[in-house]
Amino acid sequence: QVDLVESGGGSVEAGGSLTLSCAASGYTRCMAWFRQAPGKEREKVASFGDGTRILYIDSLRGRFIVSGDGASNTLYLQMNDLKPEDSGMYYCAASGRYCYLSLFNSWGQGTQVTVSS
C-alpha cells in the first residue's frame, strides 16, 4: 500500500477546466481515478499503468485526459469543458497489481469538483 494525496479540485463554471493531481508515496503499478456524485454509486473514470491509459466513461472522451509521471509517482486528470454532471468527489486509487484486475488497495481522501451551470 501507498499513501495517496489528491489536489486540484475546486469550483468552476460549466465549460471550465481543472487538473487533478494524485501523488503516491511510492511506486505503484496502476493508478486510477474514481468519482462519486451525491446519491450515486462510485464510478471508475480512468486508469493509467501497464503502458495503458483508459477512460471508462464515454461522455468524457474528448474532454478528459489521464496521464502520469512515473518518476514522481503522480497521476493527473486534465478535465476540460466541464459539465455540471461532472461534479462530485474524485478519488485516486492505486494498485501493485495489473491494471486490468482493477484491484485497488490504496485510496486517497478525495478532492471535490463542483461545476455550476
Side-chain angles (χ1 to χ4, degrees), residues 10-26:
S11 297
V12 296
E13 293 185 350
S17 298
L18 288 171
T19 297
L20 306 183
S21 300
C22 173
S25 61

Side-chain angles (χ1 to χ4, degrees), residues 11-17 63 80-87 114-117:
S11 297
V12 296
E13 293 185 350
S17 298
R63 300 192 296 121
N80 302 311
D81 190 21
L82 283 161
K83 303 179 185 301
E85 53 264 38
D86 295 320
S87 297
T114 303
V115 184
S116 59
S117 58

Side-chain angles (χ1 to χ4, degrees), residues 6-111:
E6 302 106 330
S7 61
S11 297
V12 296
E13 293 185 350
S17 298
L18 288 171
T19 297
L20 306 183
S21 300
C22 173
S25 61
Y27 169 78
T28 64
R29 186 183 188 108
C30 181
M31 297 181 76
W33 289 104
F34 290 78
R35 71 182 184 183
Q36 187 168 21
K40 294 188 176 181
E41 292 188 356
R42 184 178 64 192
E43 58 183 350
K44 191 175 183 180
V45 174
S47 66
F48 185 90
D50 295 329
T52 67
R53 63 178 76 192
I54 302 173
L55 285 175
Y56 293 93
I57 302 173
D58 289 341
S59 64
L60 304 184
R61 294 192 176 91
R63 300 192 296 121
F64 285 23
I65 301 171
V66 61
S67 62
D69 180 351
S72 63
N73 299 311
T74 303
L75 179 71
Y76 302 97
L77 185 67
Q78 181 180 340
M79 307 185 294
N80 302 311
D81 190 21
L82 283 161
K83 303 179 185 301
E85 53 264 38
D86 295 320
S87 297
M89 189 69 79
Y90 283 69
Y91 297 93
C92 176
S95 171
R97 309 285 296 276
Y98 289 106
C99 269
Y100 78 90
L101 292 174
S102 199
L103 296 174
F104 298 98
N105 61 351
S106 297
W107 291 86
Q109 293 300 308
T111 185

